[in-house]
Amino acid sequence: MKNLSKSIIIMTIMVSTTLYSQTQNSVEKKYYSKIKYQDIPNRALFEILSPREIEHSQKKSSEKTNQSIKKLPDSITAKYSLDEIKLKYAPYEYKNNRSRIFYNVYYNKKKQNKKNYLKKGMDLPCGCQMKNDTLTVVTGFGFFGGLGFASKINRKKFTNYFWEYSDHEYLKLKKEDSILKKSIEIGSKYQKMILEKKPKIGQVLTGYFSIYTKPYYTNNTKSNVHGEVYFKCFVFKKQTTD
């Protein structure tokens, strides 16, 4: 999961300033271990692309596709039309590999007033990789520090995580820990996962998951994170190295 997390962070060094009419839901104090298969909540709002998402979809994805097409052998370009070739690349475009996250942090169980783009929703890249029977979904942002959300889905069950990293050591899992860390991964106290269909390699998957983390410590302050993630991603088969 760390390699996929790093690739998502590298892709995202700018923060969206687009605000949505949708806001973060209250914490659902339940721990679900099994996936629910149904339409995701607020699907219509998630389908509305922000200006930055439109730019990524129309400009940057098109540029990347065109660069890939130029590298294709003549045997392929002679056999298929340009529209047919572009259709093959469609699942890899940004509009099919994106998320919208809602995030808030609690210090000593008191909700903090975070920036509007985190409370109102922020659009980010999202990656999905399948290895054997386990699908890993990761989204996040960062530059000289960052955070993100991930879920590991195995058949009917799942586990959600939150991760945070910094250039400075100020994180730890337990109050009694004497060593502070630059990065940390925290499991969920409450969690939920909704998928619109079963994950399958080579298909675009739409889903939603939420997490309220177990406690951890930032500068010796007890912290919890509440996050909601709406996502759409093309399911890749994870490449293994010998």
Side-chain angles (χ1 to χ4, degrees), residues 154-191:
N154 184 269
R155 298 178 181 175
K156 295 181 180 180
K157 295 188 176 183
F158 69 96
T159 306
N160 296 339
Y161 303 89
F162 168 77
W163 46 268
E164 183 176 347
Y165 79 96
S166 171
D167 284 344
H168 307 287
E169 293 90 354
Y170 70 94
L171 300 164
K172 60 182 181 179
L173 283 175
K174 298 179 180 180
K175 187 176 182 178
E176 60 269 24
D177 290 345
S178 58
I179 299 176
L180 298 175
K181 300 179 179 180
K182 289 184 178 181
S183 63
I184 200 168
E185 183 180 283
I186 307 102
S188 53
K189 181 178 181 180
Y190 309 122
Q191 64 172 19

Side-chain angles (χ1 to χ4, degrees), residues 106-110 112 217 220-224:
Y106 293 74
Y107 293 148
N108 296 317
K109 297 185 178 181
K110 185 178 180 180
Q112 304 301 300
Y217 291 83
N220 292 316
T221 300
K222 188 177 181 179
S223 307
N224 301 83

Side-chain angles (χ1 to χ4, degrees), residues 23-204:
T23 56
Q24 186 175 37
N25 296 317
S26 59
V27 177
E28 184 177 4
K29 295 183 178 181
K30 291 184 179 180
Y31 185 94
Y32 296 93
S33 59
K34 291 186 178 180
I35 301 164
K36 292 188 175 184
Y37 290 99
Q38 61 188 58
D39 290 340
I40 64 169
N42 302 305
R43 194 186 203 286
L45 288 172
F46 180 53
E47 290 299 325
I48 299 173
L49 299 181
S50 72
R52 193 173 76 95
E53 287 176 313
I54 292 172
E55 179 186 1
H56 273 285
S57 297
Q58 294 181 349
K59 184 180 179 181
K60 295 186 178 181
S61 289
S62 296
E63 289 176 354
K64 189 174 181 179
T65 298
N66 290 336
Q67 289 172 2
S68 298
I69 291 173
K70 288 179 180 179
K71 297 177 182 178
L72 291 174
D74 293 340
S75 58
I76 297 295
T77 56
K79 185 176 180 179
Y80 300 99
S81 69
L82 183 59
D83 288 340
E84 288 175 319
I85 293 173
K86 286 185 175 181
L87 189 62
K88 295 285 187 181
Y89 281 95
Y92 304 90
E93 293 181 358
Y94 180 85
K95 65 181 180 181
N96 291 318
N97 296 277
R98 64 186 182 88
S99 71
R100 188 165 298 157
I101 71 169
F102 297 80
Y103 163 90
N104 217 317
V105 64
Y106 293 74
Y107 293 148
N108 296 317
K109 297 185 178 181
K110 185 178 180 180
K111 184 187 290 187
Q112 304 301 300
N113 292 321
K114 302 299 289 184
K115 295 180 179 180
N116 276 337
Y117 60 74
L118 291 178
K119 292 193 297 181
K120 299 282 187 176
M122 179 170 59
D123 45 81
L124 295 168
C126 182
C128 294
Q129 290 185 352
M130 181 80 80
K131 182 179 180 181
N132 300 325
D133 293 326
T134 301
L135 174 69
T136 302
V137 181
V138 178
T139 186
F141 70 93
F143 194 34
F144 292 110
L147 57 86
F149 299 93
S151 183
K152 285 191 175 182
I153 301 167
N154 184 269
R155 298 178 181 175
K156 295 181 180 180
K157 295 188 176 183
F158 69 96
T159 306
N160 296 339
Y161 303 89
F162 168 77
W163 46 268
E164 183 176 347
Y165 79 96
S166 171
D167 284 344
H168 307 287
E169 293 90 354
Y170 70 94
L171 300 164
K172 60 182 181 179
L173 283 175
K174 298 179 180 180
K175 187 176 182 178
E176 60 269 24
D177 290 345
S178 58
I179 299 176
L180 298 175
K181 300 179 179 180
K182 289 184 178 181
S183 63
I184 200 168
E185 183 180 283
I186 307 102
S188 53
K189 181 178 181 180
Y190 309 122
Q191 64 172 19
K192 188 174 187 177
M193 171 65 74
I194 297 174
L195 298 178
E196 294 197 340
K197 60 184 178 182
K198 292 183 178 181
K200 188 176 180 180
I201 293 172
Q203 292 187 356
V204 175

